[in-house]
Amino acid sequence: MILTLDELRRRGLLRGKRVFIRSDLNVPQDGSGAISDDTRIRASLPAIRMAVDAGAAVMVTSHLGRPTEGELTPEDTLAPVAARLSQLLGFSVPLVRDWLGGVTVAEGAVVLLENCRVNKGERKDSEELSRRMASLCDVYVNDAFGAAHRAEATTHGMARFAPLACAGPLLAAELEALGRALGQPKRPLVAIVAGSKVSTKLTILNNLAQRVDRLIVGGGIANTFLMAEGFAIGRSLAEPDLVPECRKVLKTLAEKGATLPLPLAVVTATGISARAEATLRRADDVRPDEMILDVGPSSSQALAHVINDAGTIIWNGPLGVFELEPFSQGTHDLALAVAGATARGAFSIAGGGDTLAAIAKYRIADRISYVSTGGGAFLEYLEGKTLPAVAVLEERARSSI
């Protein structure tokens, strides 16, 4: 249980208060420094508008890129973000560079505080820095789910020392969606975990194997599971040393009556390119010089059937090299299956960079129940890890009861 910004608004506790919002404005930029995708800025607007409309004096900050502490370079500045934020809000949002000594902001106004990771001690969650920043506000708001897995001064330390600490609407929505998917899911619970390596998602696989009714794997992860079941996979991307771990996952699923439907029809090629000749094969007929780069039509149909029956769907990762058209059909069919199941009443949550790219490519964002922008935080939640930024808000909420 955590306190939310909306609850403080409804209780009339924001008017005249200095509100510090930690947002996630770490947007991609092109070579000239122009913002190429403002999704994260748009996602931050509800918290800012809520505080402004409630009569608060609002300070917003975020990290951007990977700056060196104590050094602000032109590449690290939030100036482009301030300009875009001003456009979206419809009023000027000044950028404040040296803000640790104090910030001047009027009630009903917003200022953007320069890249928080430039401050010495931010990454190490310095108590001295955290106390200094917390003294700037009456209310601290964490609305940066994408950084919730990092214990830093603006994501964790400030929440310890600010007079009031709460979650913004974006953070609250992420936690609600993830809690709904993993806490008390509508059954059957189906998880799709795909990617190049088992090693990067082994903890996720182990955690989900204990919770799900069906586990779908794709990409290099599926190839390693095929190896674990005795299939020869040619030159396909896989991790032979993790075959024993895959067998443990299969054993965990079997013991609880859950299943992992392997792709028994695959699409192969001898090279990875848009001009590669794609060949449909049975999984037990892959040639030594071939690589598995997608699932075949019959496997797509089988997976779609599993998804169609789902009550809850967690999706992380494409099934093949979907960026190249010869190997995109499996992920396309998967995306449409998830969207279709959602339309029929399933609850779906999707996250991870490649997953978001697939959702955008196939234009189904409005047909997924919740699309997470959390990245690393989304993955760590699926692993069953405690997110430091969330844990401290829960602790503050308990101490105030």
Side-chain angles (χ1 to χ4, degrees):
M1 187 68 180
I2 56 177
L3 184 65
T4 65
L5 182 64
D6 185 52
E7 183 177 347
L8 293 179
R9 177 194 62 81
R10 288 187 279 105
R11 290 163 57 184
L13 297 178
L14 298 180
R15 181 165 300 279
K17 301 299 184 182
R18 293 168 64 83
V19 174
F20 187 109
I21 303 176
R22 174 50 159 103
S23 297
D24 182 3
L25 307 173
N26 186 29
V27 292
Q29 297 169 278
D30 62 22
S32 67
I35 295 170
S36 55
D37 182 355
D38 67 357
T39 299
R40 287 176 174 168
I41 300 177
R42 291 179 180 275
S44 74
L45 296 179
I48 297 171
R49 286 181 172 139
M50 186 181 295
V52 169
D53 292 346
V58 183
M59 298 165 277
V60 182
T61 196
S62 172
H63 69 287
L64 179 66
R66 299 175 180 271
T68 300
E69 289 190 358
E71 299 178 18
L72 179 66
T73 68
E75 291 76 21
D76 301 324
T77 181
L78 288 175
V81 175
R84 185 63 180 135
L85 201 52
S86 298
Q87 293 174 345
L88 293 171
L89 288 172
F91 55 80
S92 176
V93 179
L95 179 66
V96 180
R97 178 166 178 171
D98 299 313
W99 49 274
L100 292 180
V103 180
T104 300
V105 55
E107 294 175 13
V110 181
V111 295
L112 182 63
L113 310 181
E114 189 57 278
N115 196 328
C116 60
R117 283 191 181 162
V118 171
N119 296 321
K120 291 183 178 180
E122 167 67 17
R123 297 294 296 270
K124 293 184 178 180
D125 197 16
S126 162
E127 180 172 334
E128 179 183 356
L129 178 63
S130 298
R131 287 184 180 277
R132 189 174 181 184
M133 292 190 294
S135 70
L136 299 175
C137 66
D138 303 300
V139 179
Y140 163 82
V141 184
N142 191 333
D143 205 36
F145 181 76
H149 59 312
R150 305 198 182 281
E152 300 180 347
T154 57
T155 63
H156 178 265
M158 283 189 72
R160 295 172 58 202
F161 305 117
L164 283 174
C166 67
L170 177 61
L171 179 63
E174 292 270 2
L175 295 176
E176 180 181 358
L178 285 163
R180 180 175 176 183
L182 285 174
Q184 293 181 316
K186 179 182 177 182
R187 300 284 179 174
L189 170 58
V190 175
I192 304 151
V193 181
S196 59
K197 295 182 178 181
V198 170
S199 55
T200 60
K201 296 184 178 179
L202 180 59
T203 309
I204 295 175
L205 291 166
N206 283 328
N207 185 47
L208 291 179
Q210 300 175 47
R211 298 169 177 262
V212 303
D213 301 295
R214 307 284 185 271
L215 179 60
I216 294 173
V217 292
I221 293 175
N223 296 339
T224 307
F225 272 92
L226 284 169
M227 288 187 71
E229 290 290 77
F231 290 89
I233 60 171
R235 295 192 298 114
S236 303
L237 177 64
E239 295 175 287
D241 57 323
L242 288 180
V243 162
E245 296 297 331
C246 291
R247 288 176 177 151
K248 289 179 183 178
V249 171
L250 291 168
K251 184 173 183 290
T252 298
L253 290 167
E255 287 174 347
K256 63 190 294 292
T259 60
L260 190 153
L262 285 170
L264 299 182
V266 297
V267 177
T268 67
T270 56
I272 304 176
S273 75
R275 296 182 179 180
E277 182 178 350
T279 303
L280 177 63
R281 296 207 184 278
R282 298 193 316 269
D284 60 359
D285 192 32
V286 177
R287 304 295 193 259
D289 64 336
E290 291 178 331
M291 294 175 283
I292 299 172
L293 300 175
D294 196 12
V295 300
S298 61
S299 285
S300 280
Q301 293 173 9
L303 296 179
H305 180 72
V306 171
I307 292 168
N308 288 341
D309 289 340
T312 304
I313 303 163
I314 300 170
W315 178 19
N316 174 243
L319 293 184
V321 187
F322 76 101
E323 299 90 346
L324 303 178
E325 286 310 309
F327 316 110
S328 64
Q329 193 62 46
T331 301
H332 169 270
D333 294 346
L334 173 73
L336 294 188
V338 173
T342 305
R344 288 187 290 276
F347 176 77
S348 58
I349 181 169
D354 288 341
T355 311
L356 299 188
I359 287 171
K361 180 175 181 178
Y362 303 122
R363 300 179 181 179
I364 60 165
D366 60 344
R367 300 162 65 189
I368 304 295
S369 303
Y370 193 84
V371 178
S372 173
T373 59
F378 176 81
L379 295 179
E380 291 204 8
Y381 194 102
L382 294 186
E383 290 178 17
K385 291 183 178 179
T386 297
L387 304 182
V390 175
V392 69
L393 292 179
E394 293 172 338
E395 182 181 338
R396 286 297 304 270
R398 287 193 299 269
S399 65
S400 65
I401 296 176

